[in-house]
Amino acid sequence: MEVNEALEFNDWCPGCGDFGILRGVEAALSEMKLDFTDAVIVSGIGCSGKLPHFVSGPISGVHTLHGRSLAFAIGVKLANPSMKVIVDAGDGDTFGIGVGHFVSAGRRNADMTMIVHDNRVYGLTKGQAAPTMPMGEKTKSLPKPNINEPINPVALAIASGYTFVARSFAYDTAMTKELIKQTVQHKGMGLIDILQPCPTYNDINTNEWYKERIFKLEDDPEVHDPSETMAKMTQALKNAYMPEDKIPVGLFYKNEFIPTFEERLKANIPNYMEKYPADHEIEKDGKPITDITKLIEARRVF
């Protein structure tokens, strides 16, 4: 699909940060020369969930359920570990109903990429406070200020076991593209928390608001030896909890010494990578090759 064709049926609001994220994704896929045989984008529900529909180029996409994109994505990765799996979801999708899956994905350290569209509101359902909105903030769509403490995506990812944790800004498509490429090429579970304006429902965290506060991290976030792990995690958490008048972007933490979920499975199933589930034959001439007659008969007893 050509870019212009994709934009013909795009229904994001003018000025939405999703456009910048889409361009970053497309540029990263293009430079890595990934297509539908190499990669798949799995999305959830919300404005962000439409991204696979709008990507120009031959890439596989799966639009799944609210909060369940990570669960679907891990199923895809385990069925075919040779695929590059990219999860694309919103902050409400990920840190609301989907937060349990987010934490579990970090514990597993599956070799996948998680992109979060972080605009602090539920944009598709008219601007309710998302889990990343600060307490006391009142956007034009809220009748009263938000009464809940916010989730810090970077800090939660580090505490959950993500081995690549970064933050970008939606309108900085060059940085977004480079961080996506780095995350996809990283061995392990990676998060990119992408800050984005919502011009329709969030009149506080605008493009101008972010540009006055954003600065690029200059620390070395990579663990070069396992003995550095705690120091690098502590450094990353300090950066994650900077006050809102200074918002760091860039790479917070990287550690490739932690075994991936696929490597852990291979330790128990030696031929897992050579004969993974998606490569198994399950039918011949349109008929299943597994005979379940005895199983059906056994169930009839009850």
Side-chain angles (χ1 to χ4, degrees):
M1 180 184 295
E2 297 297 328
V3 173
N4 289 339
E5 292 179 36
L7 292 178
E8 281 180 6
F9 59 90
N10 193 309
D11 59 358
W12 288 331
C13 301
C16 178
D18 287 341
F19 286 103
I21 298 173
L22 173 62
R23 292 295 167 257
V25 170
E26 290 179 328
L29 294 172
S30 176
E31 291 188 12
M32 289 187 290
K33 302 189 184 322
L34 295 177
D35 62 21
F36 64 89
T37 63
D38 304 309
V40 61
I41 301 175
V42 182
S43 71
I45 298 299
C47 300
S48 62
K50 301 175 183 180
L51 185 138
H53 300 275
F54 305 150
V55 171
S56 60
I59 191 73
S60 298
V62 186
H63 194 169
T64 70
L65 304 177
H66 193 212
R68 305 295 181 248
S69 54
L70 269 168
F72 276 85
I74 287 179
V76 172
K77 185 65 178 180
L78 296 186
N80 187 350
S82 67
M83 293 285 284
K84 298 292 188 183
V85 179
I86 300 170
V87 185
D88 185 86
D91 50 359
D93 198 3
T94 304
F95 302 115
I97 188 173
V99 71
H101 293 299
F102 182 84
V103 172
S104 294
R107 292 178 57 226
R108 293 187 177 104
N109 194 35
D111 188 12
M112 304 193 308
T113 297
M114 178 82 193
I115 297 172
V116 175
H117 298 227
D118 188 352
N119 61 12
R120 301 185 172 187
V121 294
Y122 286 90
L124 190 65
T125 51
K126 313 308 180 200
Q128 300 91 336
T132 52
M133 180 180 283
M135 185 169 70
E137 189 163 289
K138 183 186 179 303
T139 58
K140 66 181 181 180
S141 59
L142 296 179
K144 294 183 179 180
N146 176 37
I147 63 173
N148 294 315
E149 286 284 357
I151 280 178
N152 185 315
V154 169
L156 182 60
I158 293 166
S160 300
Y162 283 66
T163 51
F164 186 104
V165 183
R167 180 191 285 153
S168 187
F169 181 53
Y171 291 169
D172 189 342
T173 55
M175 173 183 279
T176 299
K177 174 200 70 176
E178 288 302 320
L179 286 174
I180 291 171
K181 287 169 59 180
Q182 291 176 36
T183 315
V184 171
Q185 292 160 356
H186 168 72
K187 188 190 75 170
M189 188 72 211
L191 166 75
I192 310 175
D193 179 43
I194 305 184
L195 306 174
Q196 65 159 114
C198 174
T200 301
Y201 295 112
N202 189 337
D203 57 336
I204 295 176
N205 310 119
T206 62
N207 180 33
E208 294 72 25
W209 186 92
Y210 278 116
K211 285 188 172 179
E212 290 174 0
R213 292 162 173 79
I214 282 175
F215 72 97
K216 190 156 189 256
L217 285 169
E218 299 295 340
D219 302 329
D220 176 11
E222 185 171 356
V223 175
H224 301 284
D225 183 273
S227 63
E228 299 179 345
T229 300
M230 188 54 66
K232 296 289 183 170
M233 289 179 68
T234 301
Q235 170 185 290
L237 287 169
K238 285 181 179 178
N239 288 332
Y241 281 111
M242 283 189 179
E244 285 244 294
D245 58 338
K246 295 189 296 183
I247 303 177
V249 295
L251 182 57
F252 284 71
Y253 179 71
K254 179 180 179 181
N255 186 350
E256 290 195 331
F257 291 98
I258 309 297
T260 65
F261 194 39
E262 297 85 346
E263 289 171 335
R264 300 174 202 180
L265 286 174
K266 187 177 178 181
N268 290 331
I269 310 171
N271 68 339
Y272 171 63
M273 299 299 288
E274 289 75 35
K275 193 68 175 176
Y276 42 80
D279 197 37
H280 291 184
E281 291 186 9
I282 60 173
E283 60 87 23
K284 186 175 182 180
D285 298 327
K287 296 182 180 180
I289 61 174
T290 303
D291 184 1
I292 61 172
T293 305
K294 291 182 179 180
L295 177 62
I296 294 173
E297 290 298 328
R299 288 182 62 82
R300 283 176 179 165
V301 173
F302 301 100

